[in-house]
Amino acid sequence: MRLLPALTSLFLAAAVAGCTEDAGDLLRPSPTGCYFGSGDDRTHLSAEQAANAATIAAVGQRDGMDERAVAVAFTTAMQESELINVDYGHDDSLGLFQQRPSMGWGTEEELMDPVYSSFKFYEKLRRTDGWQDMTLAEAAQAVQISAYPDLYVKWEDEATAIAAAFAGGAESGLMCVSGAADEVAADPAVLAEAYAYQWGIEATSVDDSTVVIGPYDAVPGWNRAAWAVARAYDHSIASVAYAGMVWTPGEDGWVAAEGEATEVSDEPSQIVVTFATPE
């Protein structure tokens, strides 16, 4: 007797027939991953993609590259790997940028390290004459020398939106609906180590439940806050606070901290990353 499927069908039919907002919410899939921008044109990445994008942006800023350079890197990685650190590709290509050991980019082990592969991408971009005057797709092609140069164009708008959050200082520019990865690094020291490796600077302080970064002015501060939010899934992060605003996992995104004014502060501020308490 298939009672449960039958009841489920009746329930869904009734919900749809009602055409109510509640019914629509009931049938709509729950949001996942991370969102950039606002409104109907928001750009979506999975938690894994967002974490890799955060790494690419951190390495670029560490090495003095600007928001546009980060957007070029995103345009490239979104076409080459969809921002997934894959260990396969055409011929011996692998990693976020599908770089080839046989072409002198590095060893297989090095190219599977997102920090190293990002560094190598920016290194060649920096040596490319006139890249600043090229479109994002043209600059990506100048680095990659792809057999399909026209494919980079379709990623330019999304890459620009993501770069605004990770390298452009966009206030509250990243919202992630965070769960918990299968293997969660819930140790604040692990996040602090990742921050030092990717950004090239130590966290201000680390204890059993928090990592403090900064203080920083608005642009570098929001970039680093976005980096922390993008790591929430892998690190069991409960909240990220910066400039009078607080992010917690869920659909609300950034909200004014309790007791704070609604205006976002432009004063140098610390980024405080708080970890979830183990159950």
PDB file of all heavy atoms in Angstrom, residues 166-202:
ATOM      1  N   PHE A 166      35.292  39.987  -3.218  1.00  0.00           N
ATOM      2  CA  PHE A 166      36.541  39.460  -2.675  1.00  0.00           C
ATOM      3  C   PHE A 166      37.733  40.401  -2.816  1.00  0.00           C
ATOM      4  O   PHE A 166      38.727  40.252  -2.116  1.00  0.00           O
ATOM      5  CB  PHE A 166      36.897  38.132  -3.347  1.00  0.00           C
ATOM      6  CG  PHE A 166      36.108  36.957  -2.842  1.00  0.00           C
ATOM      7  CD1 PHE A 166      35.460  36.115  -3.720  1.00  0.00           C
ATOM      8  CD2 PHE A 166      36.032  36.677  -1.487  1.00  0.00           C
ATOM      9  CE1 PHE A 166      34.747  35.013  -3.265  1.00  0.00           C
ATOM     10  CE2 PHE A 166      35.320  35.583  -1.011  1.00  0.00           C
ATOM     11  CZ  PHE A 166      34.678  34.751  -1.901  1.00  0.00           C
ATOM     12  N   ALA A 167      37.641  41.381  -3.725  1.00  0.00           N
ATOM     13  CA  ALA A 167      38.794  42.257  -3.953  1.00  0.00           C
ATOM     14  C   ALA A 167      38.412  43.718  -4.137  1.00  0.00           C
ATOM     15  O   ALA A 167      39.300  44.563  -4.237  1.00  0.00           O
ATOM     16  CB  ALA A 167      39.575  41.785  -5.179  1.00  0.00           C
ATOM     17  N   GLY A 168      37.121  44.026  -4.171  1.00  0.00           N
ATOM     18  CA  GLY A 168      36.691  45.399  -4.400  1.00  0.00           C
ATOM     19  C   GLY A 168      36.152  46.106  -3.188  1.00  0.00           C
ATOM     20  O   GLY A 168      35.704  47.248  -3.274  1.00  0.00           O
ATOM     21  N   GLY A 169      36.153  45.435  -2.047  1.00  0.00           N
ATOM     22  CA  GLY A 169      35.685  46.072  -0.825  1.00  0.00           C
ATOM     23  C   GLY A 169      34.191  46.277  -0.760  1.00  0.00           C
ATOM     24  O   GLY A 169      33.716  47.166  -0.049  1.00  0.00           O
ATOM     25  N   ALA A 170      33.421  45.469  -1.487  1.00  0.00           N
ATOM     26  CA  ALA A 170      31.962  45.618  -1.477  1.00  0.00           C
ATOM     27  C   ALA A 170      31.423  45.364  -0.068  1.00  0.00           C
ATOM     28  O   ALA A 170      31.667  44.299   0.514  1.00  0.00           O
ATOM     29  CB  ALA A 170      31.323  44.647  -2.461  1.00  0.00           C
ATOM     30  N   GLU A 171      30.708  46.333   0.490  1.00  0.00           N
ATOM     31  CA  GLU A 171      30.171  46.201   1.847  1.00  0.00           C
ATOM     32  C   GLU A 171      29.129  45.087   1.891  1.00  0.00           C
ATOM     33  O   GLU A 171      28.189  45.078   1.098  1.00  0.00           O
ATOM     34  CB  GLU A 171      29.549  47.514   2.304  1.00  0.00           C
ATOM     35  CG  GLU A 171      30.551  48.644   2.440  1.00  0.00           C
ATOM     36  CD  GLU A 171      29.883  49.955   2.795  1.00  0.00           C
ATOM     37  OE1 GLU A 171      28.634  49.983   2.880  1.00  0.00           O
ATOM     38  OE2 GLU A 171      30.598  50.953   2.973  1.00  0.00           O
ATOM     39  N   SER A 172      29.300  44.156   2.808  1.00  0.00           N
ATOM     40  CA  SER A 172      28.350  43.051   2.961  1.00  0.00           C
ATOM     41  C   SER A 172      28.092  42.370   1.618  1.00  0.00           C
ATOM     42  O   SER A 172      26.974  41.968   1.312  1.00  0.00           O
ATOM     43  CB  SER A 172      27.024  43.559   3.548  1.00  0.00           C
ATOM     44  OG  SER A 172      27.252  44.376   4.672  1.00  0.00           O
ATOM     45  N   GLY A 173      29.139  42.240   0.823  1.00  0.00           N
ATOM     46  CA  GLY A 173      28.969  41.807  -0.552  1.00  0.00           C
ATOM     47  C   GLY A 173      28.852  40.314  -0.759  1.00  0.00           C
ATOM     48  O   GLY A 173      28.718  39.855  -1.888  1.00  0.00           O
ATOM     49  N   LEU A 174      28.896  39.540   0.308  1.00  0.00           N
ATOM     50  CA  LEU A 174      28.861  38.081   0.177  1.00  0.00           C
ATOM     51  C   LEU A 174      27.953  37.502   1.246  1.00  0.00           C
ATOM     52  O   LEU A 174      28.083  37.816   2.423  1.00  0.00           O
ATOM     53  CB  LEU A 174      30.272  37.512   0.319  1.00  0.00           C
ATOM     54  CG  LEU A 174      30.423  35.998   0.410  1.00  0.00           C
ATOM     55  CD1 LEU A 174      29.875  35.318  -0.830  1.00  0.00           C
ATOM     56  CD2 LEU A 174      31.881  35.633   0.595  1.00  0.00           C
ATOM     57  N   MET A 175      27.014  36.658   0.823  1.00  0.00           N
ATOM     58  CA  MET A 175      26.122  35.969   1.746  1.00  0.00           C
ATOM     59  C   MET A 175      26.221  34.479   1.469  1.00  0.00           C
ATOM     60  O   MET A 175      26.062  34.049   0.328  1.00  0.00           O
ATOM     61  CB  MET A 175      24.685  36.449   1.567  1.00  0.00           C
ATOM     62  CG  MET A 175      23.685  35.847   2.563  1.00  0.00           C
ATOM     63  SD  MET A 175      22.982  34.285   2.013  1.00  0.00           S
ATOM     64  CE  MET A 175      21.804  34.853   0.800  1.00  0.00           C
ATOM     65  N   CYS A 176      26.531  33.700   2.488  1.00  0.00           N
ATOM     66  CA  CYS A 176      26.642  32.258   2.318  1.00  0.00           C
ATOM     67  C   CYS A 176      25.648  31.545   3.225  1.00  0.00           C
ATOM     68  O   CYS A 176      25.508  31.892   4.399  1.00  0.00           O
ATOM     69  CB  CYS A 176      28.052  31.759   2.647  1.00  0.00           C
ATOM     70  SG  CYS A 176      29.314  32.304   1.467  1.00  0.00           S
ATOM     71  N   VAL A 177      24.958  30.566   2.652  1.00  0.00           N
ATOM     72  CA  VAL A 177      24.068  29.707   3.422  1.00  0.00           C
ATOM     73  C   VAL A 177      24.896  28.492   3.784  1.00  0.00           C
ATOM     74  O   VAL A 177      25.049  27.575   2.994  1.00  0.00           O
ATOM     75  CB  VAL A 177      22.832  29.309   2.600  1.00  0.00           C
ATOM     76  CG1 VAL A 177      21.881  28.458   3.427  1.00  0.00           C
ATOM     77  CG2 VAL A 177      22.118  30.553   2.086  1.00  0.00           C
ATOM     78  N   SER A 178      25.456  28.500   4.955  1.00  0.00           N
ATOM     79  CA  SER A 178      26.503  27.543   5.307  1.00  0.00           C
ATOM     80  C   SER A 178      25.964  26.365   6.097  1.00  0.00           C
ATOM     81  O   SER A 178      25.225  26.528   7.058  1.00  0.00           O
ATOM     82  CB  SER A 178      27.587  28.241   6.132  1.00  0.00           C
ATOM     83  OG  SER A 178      28.569  27.326   6.546  1.00  0.00           O
ATOM     84  N   GLY A 179      26.351  25.174   5.655  1.00  0.00           N
ATOM     85  CA  GLY A 179      26.115  23.981   6.450  1.00  0.00           C
ATOM     86  C   GLY A 179      27.427  23.569   7.064  1.00  0.00           C
ATOM     87  O   GLY A 179      28.179  24.408   7.559  1.00  0.00           O
ATOM     88  N   ALA A 180      27.729  22.288   7.010  1.00  0.00           N
ATOM     89  CA  ALA A 180      29.005  21.797   7.526  1.00  0.00           C
ATOM     90  C   ALA A 180      29.520  20.726   6.586  1.00  0.00           C
ATOM     91  O   ALA A 180      28.795  19.826   6.185  1.00  0.00           O
ATOM     92  CB  ALA A 180      28.854  21.233   8.936  1.00  0.00           C
ATOM     93  N   ALA A 181      30.772  20.838   6.205  1.00  0.00           N
ATOM     94  CA  ALA A 181      31.383  19.857   5.323  1.00  0.00           C
ATOM     95  C   ALA A 181      31.540  18.520   6.041  1.00  0.00           C
ATOM     96  O   ALA A 181      31.448  18.429   7.263  1.00  0.00           O
ATOM     97  CB  ALA A 181      32.748  20.369   4.863  1.00  0.00           C
ATOM     98  N   ASP A 182      31.774  17.462   5.240  1.00  0.00           N
ATOM     99  CA  ASP A 182      31.962  16.137   5.831  1.00  0.00           C
ATOM    100  C   ASP A 182      33.144  16.113   6.785  1.00  0.00           C
ATOM    101  O   ASP A 182      33.113  15.471   7.825  1.00  0.00           O
ATOM    102  CB  ASP A 182      32.156  15.092   4.726  1.00  0.00           C
ATOM    103  CG  ASP A 182      30.894  14.904   3.881  1.00  0.00           C
ATOM    104  OD1 ASP A 182      29.803  15.208   4.406  1.00  0.00           O
ATOM    105  OD2 ASP A 182      31.027  14.487   2.726  1.00  0.00           O
ATOM    106  N   GLU A 183      34.197  16.811   6.409  1.00  0.00           N
ATOM    107  CA  GLU A 183      35.379  16.913   7.261  1.00  0.00           C
ATOM    108  C   GLU A 183      35.587  18.385   7.606  1.00  0.00           C
ATOM    109  O   GLU A 183      36.123  19.144   6.820  1.00  0.00           O
ATOM    110  CB  GLU A 183      36.606  16.341   6.550  1.00  0.00           C
ATOM    111  CG  GLU A 183      36.492  14.850   6.242  1.00  0.00           C
ATOM    112  CD  GLU A 183      37.737  14.291   5.590  1.00  0.00           C
ATOM    113  OE1 GLU A 183      38.745  15.039   5.536  1.00  0.00           O
ATOM    114  OE2 GLU A 183      37.711  13.143   5.135  1.00  0.00           O
ATOM    115  N   VAL A 184      35.117  18.765   8.781  1.00  0.00           N
ATOM    116  CA  VAL A 184      35.156  20.167   9.194  1.00  0.00           C
ATOM    117  C   VAL A 184      36.409  20.451  10.007  1.00  0.00           C
ATOM    118  O   VAL A 184      36.731  19.717  10.941  1.00  0.00           O
ATOM    119  CB  VAL A 184      33.903  20.524  10.026  1.00  0.00           C
ATOM    120  CG1 VAL A 184      33.963  21.971  10.484  1.00  0.00           C
ATOM    121  CG2 VAL A 184      32.653  20.287   9.207  1.00  0.00           C
ATOM    122  N   ALA A 185      37.120  21.527   9.636  1.00  0.00           N
ATOM    123  CA  ALA A 185      38.286  21.955  10.398  1.00  0.00           C
ATOM    124  C   ALA A 185      37.828  22.994  11.413  1.00  0.00           C
ATOM    125  O   ALA A 185      37.934  24.197  11.182  1.00  0.00           O
ATOM    126  CB  ALA A 185      39.342  22.535   9.466  1.00  0.00           C
ATOM    127  N   ALA A 186      37.266  22.524  12.542  1.00  0.00           N
ATOM    128  CA  ALA A 186      36.658  23.435  13.508  1.00  0.00           C
ATOM    129  C   ALA A 186      37.661  23.997  14.508  1.00  0.00           C
ATOM    130  O   ALA A 186      37.289  24.427  15.586  1.00  0.00           O
ATOM    131  CB  ALA A 186      35.535  22.717  14.256  1.00  0.00           C
ATOM    132  N   ASP A 187      38.920  24.030  14.142  1.00  0.00           N
ATOM    133  CA  ASP A 187      39.971  24.543  15.013  1.00  0.00           C
ATOM    134  C   ASP A 187      40.348  25.948  14.532  1.00  0.00           C
ATOM    135  O   ASP A 187      40.806  26.114  13.395  1.00  0.00           O
ATOM    136  CB  ASP A 187      41.187  23.612  14.945  1.00  0.00           C
ATOM    137  CG  ASP A 187      42.312  24.045  15.860  1.00  0.00           C
ATOM    138  OD1 ASP A 187      42.226  25.146  16.448  1.00  0.00           O
ATOM    139  OD2 ASP A 187      43.284  23.283  15.983  1.00  0.00           O
ATOM    140  N   PRO A 188      40.152  26.974  15.359  1.00  0.00           N
ATOM    141  CA  PRO A 188      40.499  28.329  14.930  1.00  0.00           C
ATOM    142  C   PRO A 188      41.938  28.456  14.436  1.00  0.00           C
ATOM    143  O   PRO A 188      42.211  29.250  13.533  1.00  0.00           O
ATOM    144  CB  PRO A 188      40.273  29.160  16.209  1.00  0.00           C
ATOM    145  CG  PRO A 188      39.209  28.411  16.941  1.00  0.00           C
ATOM    146  CD  PRO A 188      39.520  26.960  16.695  1.00  0.00           C
ATOM    147  N   ALA A 189      42.853  27.664  15.007  1.00  0.00           N
ATOM    148  CA  ALA A 189      44.246  27.745  14.587  1.00  0.00           C
ATOM    149  C   ALA A 189      44.425  27.326  13.131  1.00  0.00           C
ATOM    150  O   ALA A 189      45.311  27.823  12.432  1.00  0.00           O
ATOM    151  CB  ALA A 189      45.117  26.870  15.490  1.00  0.00           C
ATOM    152  N   VAL A 190      43.569  26.415  12.654  1.00  0.00           N
ATOM    153  CA  VAL A 190      43.648  25.975  11.259  1.00  0.00           C
ATOM    154  C   VAL A 190      43.253  27.109  10.323  1.00  0.00           C
ATOM    155  O   VAL A 190      43.885  27.337   9.286  1.00  0.00           O
ATOM    156  CB  VAL A 190      42.756  24.735  11.037  1.00  0.00           C
ATOM    157  CG1 VAL A 190      42.731  24.354   9.565  1.00  0.00           C
ATOM    158  CG2 VAL A 190      43.251  23.565  11.877  1.00  0.00           C
ATOM    159  N   LEU A 191      42.197  27.849  10.684  1.00  0.00           N
ATOM    160  CA  LEU A 191      41.805  28.998   9.876  1.00  0.00           C
ATOM    161  C   LEU A 191      42.888  30.073   9.899  1.00  0.00           C
ATOM    162  O   LEU A 191      43.199  30.673   8.864  1.00  0.00           O
ATOM    163  CB  LEU A 191      40.490  29.587  10.386  1.00  0.00           C
ATOM    164  CG  LEU A 191      39.975  30.768   9.555  1.00  0.00           C
ATOM    165  CD1 LEU A 191      39.453  30.300   8.211  1.00  0.00           C
ATOM    166  CD2 LEU A 191      38.898  31.538  10.308  1.00  0.00           C
ATOM    167  N   ALA A 192      43.464  30.315  11.059  1.00  0.00           N
ATOM    168  CA  ALA A 192      44.526  31.319  11.166  1.00  0.00           C
ATOM    169  C   ALA A 192      45.729  30.924  10.314  1.00  0.00           C
ATOM    170  O   ALA A 192      46.358  31.781   9.677  1.00  0.00           O
ATOM    171  CB  ALA A 192      44.940  31.482  12.629  1.00  0.00           C
ATOM    172  N   GLU A 193      46.027  29.642  10.266  1.00  0.00           N
ATOM    173  CA  GLU A 193      47.134  29.164   9.434  1.00  0.00           C
ATOM    174  C   GLU A 193      46.825  29.383   7.950  1.00  0.00           C
ATOM    175  O   GLU A 193      47.688  29.807   7.174  1.00  0.00           O
ATOM    176  CB  GLU A 193      47.379  27.682   9.710  1.00  0.00           C
ATOM    177  CG  GLU A 193      48.554  27.097   8.937  1.00  0.00           C
ATOM    178  CD  GLU A 193      48.777  25.631   9.257  1.00  0.00           C
ATOM    179  OE1 GLU A 193      48.101  25.096  10.145  1.00  0.00           O
ATOM    180  OE2 GLU A 193      49.646  25.016   8.597  1.00  0.00           O
ATOM    181  N   ALA A 194      45.582  29.090   7.551  1.00  0.00           N
ATOM    182  CA  ALA A 194      45.174  29.314   6.164  1.00  0.00           C
ATOM    183  C   ALA A 194      45.248  30.796   5.812  1.00  0.00           C
ATOM    184  O   ALA A 194      45.682  31.167   4.714  1.00  0.00           O
ATOM    185  CB  ALA A 194      43.765  28.784   5.938  1.00  0.00           C
ATOM    186  N   TYR A 195      44.830  31.654   6.746  1.00  0.00           N
ATOM    187  CA  TYR A 195      44.897  33.095   6.504  1.00  0.00           C
ATOM    188  C   TYR A 195      46.341  33.545   6.274  1.00  0.00           C
ATOM    189  O   TYR A 195      46.638  34.287   5.330  1.00  0.00           O
ATOM    190  CB  TYR A 195      44.287  33.846   7.686  1.00  0.00           C
ATOM    191  CG  TYR A 195      44.347  35.351   7.544  1.00  0.00           C
ATOM    192  CD1 TYR A 195      43.475  36.018   6.695  1.00  0.00           C
ATOM    193  CD2 TYR A 195      45.297  36.100   8.248  1.00  0.00           C
ATOM    194  CE1 TYR A 195      43.541  37.396   6.543  1.00  0.00           C
ATOM    195  CE2 TYR A 195      45.365  37.474   8.099  1.00  0.00           C
ATOM    196  CZ  TYR A 195      44.485  38.122   7.248  1.00  0.00           C
ATOM    197  OH  TYR A 195      44.558  39.488   7.096  1.00  0.00           O
ATOM    198  N   ALA A 196      47.240  33.079   7.115  1.00  0.00           N
ATOM    199  CA  ALA A 196      48.640  33.459   6.985  1.00  0.00           C
ATOM    200  C   ALA A 196      49.230  32.968   5.662  1.00  0.00           C
ATOM    201  O   ALA A 196      49.992  33.681   5.000  1.00  0.00           O
ATOM    202  CB  ALA A 196      49.441  32.912   8.166  1.00  0.00           C
ATOM    203  N   TYR A 197      48.878  31.755   5.266  1.00  0.00           N
ATOM    204  CA  TYR A 197      49.417  31.170   4.035  1.00  0.00           C
ATOM    205  C   TYR A 197      48.898  31.897   2.801  1.00  0.00           C
ATOM    206  O   TYR A 197      49.650  32.166   1.862  1.00  0.00           O
ATOM    207  CB  TYR A 197      49.044  29.686   3.980  1.00  0.00           C
ATOM    208  CG  TYR A 197      49.576  28.944   2.779  1.00  0.00           C
ATOM    209  CD1 TYR A 197      50.887  29.119   2.338  1.00  0.00           C
ATOM    210  CD2 TYR A 197      48.772  28.045   2.081  1.00  0.00           C
ATOM    211  CE1 TYR A 197      51.383  28.428   1.247  1.00  0.00           C
ATOM    212  CE2 TYR A 197      49.257  27.341   0.990  1.00  0.00           C
ATOM    213  CZ  TYR A 197      50.559  27.543   0.577  1.00  0.00           C
ATOM    214  OH  TYR A 197      51.041  26.851  -0.514  1.00  0.00           O
ATOM    215  N   GLN A 198      47.623  32.231   2.805  1.00  0.00           N
ATOM    216  CA  GLN A 198      47.020  32.820   1.614  1.00  0.00           C
ATOM    217  C   GLN A 198      47.228  34.324   1.517  1.00  0.00           C
ATOM    218  O   GLN A 198      47.424  34.863   0.425  1.00  0.00           O
ATOM    219  CB  GLN A 198      45.533  32.482   1.581  1.00  0.00           C
ATOM    220  CG  GLN A 198      45.268  30.991   1.423  1.00  0.00           C
ATOM    221  CD  GLN A 198      43.804  30.638   1.368  1.00  0.00           C
ATOM    222  OE1 GLN A 198      42.960  31.464   1.009  1.00  0.00           O
ATOM    223  NE2 GLN A 198      43.470  29.410   1.726  1.00  0.00           N
ATOM    224  N   TRP A 199      47.176  35.020   2.658  1.00  0.00           N
ATOM    225  CA  TRP A 199      47.298  36.477   2.661  1.00  0.00           C
ATOM    226  C   TRP A 199      48.719  36.960   2.949  1.00  0.00           C
ATOM    227  O   TRP A 199      49.027  38.137   2.742  1.00  0.00           O
ATOM    228  CB  TRP A 199      46.357  37.082   3.690  1.00  0.00           C
ATOM    229  CG  TRP A 199      44.922  37.051   3.285  1.00  0.00           C
ATOM    230  CD1 TRP A 199      44.010  36.085   3.575  1.00  0.00           C
ATOM    231  CD2 TRP A 199      44.222  38.018   2.497  1.00  0.00           C
ATOM    232  NE1 TRP A 199      42.785  36.388   3.035  1.00  0.00           N
ATOM    233  CE2 TRP A 199      42.889  37.573   2.366  1.00  0.00           C
ATOM    234  CE3 TRP A 199      44.591  39.218   1.904  1.00  0.00           C
ATOM    235  CZ2 TRP A 199      41.921  38.291   1.651  1.00  0.00           C
ATOM    236  CZ3 TRP A 199      43.630  39.937   1.195  1.00  0.00           C
ATOM    237  CH2 TRP A 199      42.329  39.476   1.076  1.00  0.00           C
ATOM    238  N   GLY A 200      49.557  36.075   3.462  1.00  0.00           N
ATOM    239  CA  GLY A 200      50.935  36.459   3.745  1.00  0.00           C
ATOM    240  C   GLY A 200      51.107  37.306   4.979  1.00  0.00           C
ATOM    241  O   GLY A 200      52.110  38.020   5.118  1.00  0.00           O
ATOM    242  N   ILE A 201      50.150  37.237   5.912  1.00  0.00           N
ATOM    243  CA  ILE A 201      50.229  38.006   7.154  1.00  0.00           C
ATOM    244  C   ILE A 201      49.521  37.225   8.256  1.00  0.00           C
ATOM    245  O   ILE A 201      48.528  36.528   8.001  1.00  0.00           O
ATOM    246  CB  ILE A 201      49.595  39.401   6.976  1.00  0.00           C
ATOM    247  CG1 ILE A 201      49.832  40.272   8.206  1.00  0.00           C
ATOM    248  CG2 ILE A 201      48.119  39.300   6.626  1.00  0.00           C
ATOM    249  CD1 ILE A 201      49.440  41.721   8.005  1.00  0.00           C
ATOM    250  N   GLU A 202      50.041  37.311   9.457  1.00  0.00           N
ATOM    251  CA  GLU A 202      49.464  36.570  10.571  1.00  0.00           C
ATOM    252  C   GLU A 202      48.162  37.205  11.057  1.00  0.00           C
ATOM    253  O   GLU A 202      47.963  38.423  10.946  1.00  0.00           O
ATOM    254  CB  GLU A 202      50.455  36.534  11.743  1.00  0.00           C
ATOM    255  CG  GLU A 202      51.788  35.872  11.438  1.00  0.00           C
ATOM    256  CD  GLU A 202      51.678  34.357  11.311  1.00  0.00           C
ATOM    257  OE1 GLU A 202      50.708  33.782  11.870  1.00  0.00           O
ATOM    258  OE2 GLU A 202      52.543  33.749  10.657  1.00  0.00           O
TER     259      GLU A 202
END
